[in-house]
Amino acid sequence: MIYCVEDDSGIRNMMIYTLKASGFEARGLNDGKELSAALLSEIPELILLDIMLPGEDGTSILKRLRSDPKTADVPIIMATARSTEYDKVTGLDAGADDYLAKPFGMMEMVSRVKAVLRRTGTKKKDNTVNAGNIFIDTEKHTASVCGEALQLTLKEFELLRILASNPQRVFTRDQLLSFVWGTDFSGETRTVDVHIGTLRDKLGSAKDHIETVRGVGYKLVAPDKKHKG
């Protein structure tokens, strides 16, 4: 997955279209807030980050990503209309892996993406998530508890994946609704409660690891993190 953080919808859509046509998964995001929300759901293989963004600018976002252990190693290519040597050096010094000066050609972008992924792709992507005795294989789309396979629906699997990938982190019902059902979903947050209920039933001995945070939402607590007594 490649995240394209660009506030110009025309450019963003063209970037996503070109990346998908080149065999990549891609998702467009308008600003730093949308990026932060997306990172709760999935850490991408690479981020294309525009410097000139509404709200928090790209350089500030870059520094924040590099200071977070979860995103410190994610390759980042900066894109900006600025073309001075100073801006380029500033971005690279802040931790960018490469730099695209606007206007750039779409095939140049793809070439830069491939080059950065080759340079930074020495570590094999881990497609598994472990939360105590809960084991998830995101590539095979399977989940198990104590070695026993779970028969989960797509929505149940996505809920479990998000919670297990972020142990101890509290997700609001609105966040889970957006991540799993999409921002265009018109249903109510009660949908989340119903699916959490069926997921807990299927987790069996591990059902108590999904905790309700009253008035907020849910979190997953790994077995070795749970309070005793």
Side-chain angles (χ1 to χ4, degrees):
M1 174 63 73
I2 295 175
Y3 287 164
C4 300
V5 189
E6 165 63 62
D7 63 315
D8 186 313
S9 60
I11 296 175
R12 184 174 67 241
N13 291 339
M14 182 59 70
M15 292 169 71
I16 295 169
Y17 175 83
T18 304
L19 288 167
K20 288 184 175 180
S22 301
F24 295 101
E25 288 185 77
R27 178 178 176 183
L29 304 163
N30 186 65
D31 53 28
K33 289 183 178 180
E34 289 190 5
L35 175 62
S36 296
L39 290 170
L40 294 176
S41 175
E42 181 177 5
I43 302 297
E45 293 177 83
L46 182 143
I47 298 173
L48 284 160
L49 178 63
D50 190 31
I51 287 184
M52 301 297 289
L53 292 170
E56 186 179 13
D57 67 83
T59 302
S60 176
I61 294 171
L62 172 63
K63 293 177 180 178
R64 176 163 56 82
L65 294 174
R66 287 292 177 250
S67 66
D68 187 335
K70 291 183 180 179
T71 54
D73 296 325
V74 175
I76 298 174
I77 298 176
M78 302 297 289
T80 179
R82 297 174 179 173
S83 58
T84 67
E85 187 71 16
Y86 172 80
D87 292 318
K88 180 177 180 179
V89 171
T90 299
L92 294 174
D93 284 348
D97 294 274
D98 205 347
Y99 193 93
L100 279 168
K102 293 179 179 178
F104 54 83
M106 290 297 109
M107 296 319 296
E108 177 191 0
M109 174 193 70
V110 171
S111 179
R112 294 288 186 93
V113 166
K114 289 180 177 179
V116 169
L117 288 176
R118 280 197 300 269
R119 292 202 308 265
T120 60
T122 53
K123 292 189 290 184
K124 188 179 185 298
K125 184 179 178 181
D126 189 0
N127 295 308
T128 62
V129 177
N130 283 87
N133 53 8
I134 299 173
F135 179 83
I136 302 170
D137 189 317
T138 59
E139 185 174 35
K140 296 179 180 177
H141 219 268
T142 59
S144 62
V145 172
C146 297
E148 184 175 346
L150 302 175
Q151 300 301 317
L152 303 179
T153 67
L154 176 62
K155 303 303 186 187
E156 291 166 351
F157 181 86
E158 285 301 306
L159 282 171
L160 181 60
R161 181 185 66 79
I162 291 170
L163 292 170
S165 297
N166 301 273
Q168 303 292 335
R169 187 161 199 158
V170 180
F171 288 89
T172 68
R173 290 172 173 83
D174 284 331
Q175 285 176 325
L176 292 173
L177 199 65
S178 176
F179 294 152
V180 178
W181 281 266
T183 55
D184 295 332
F185 182 71
S186 58
E188 299 179 353
T189 53
R190 173 64 180 162
T191 301
V192 175
D193 298 328
V194 172
H195 280 75
I196 288 289
T198 58
L199 176 58
R200 279 173 168 157
D201 289 341
K202 294 180 179 181
L203 286 174
S205 61
K207 66 180 182 180
D208 291 337
H209 300 320
I210 295 181
E211 295 186 353
T212 301
V213 180
R214 190 176 298 277
V216 183
Y218 299 95
K219 68 177 179 178
L220 185 139
V221 182
D224 59 341
K225 302 287 186 180
K226 288 185 68 64
H227 298 295
K228 297 180 180 180

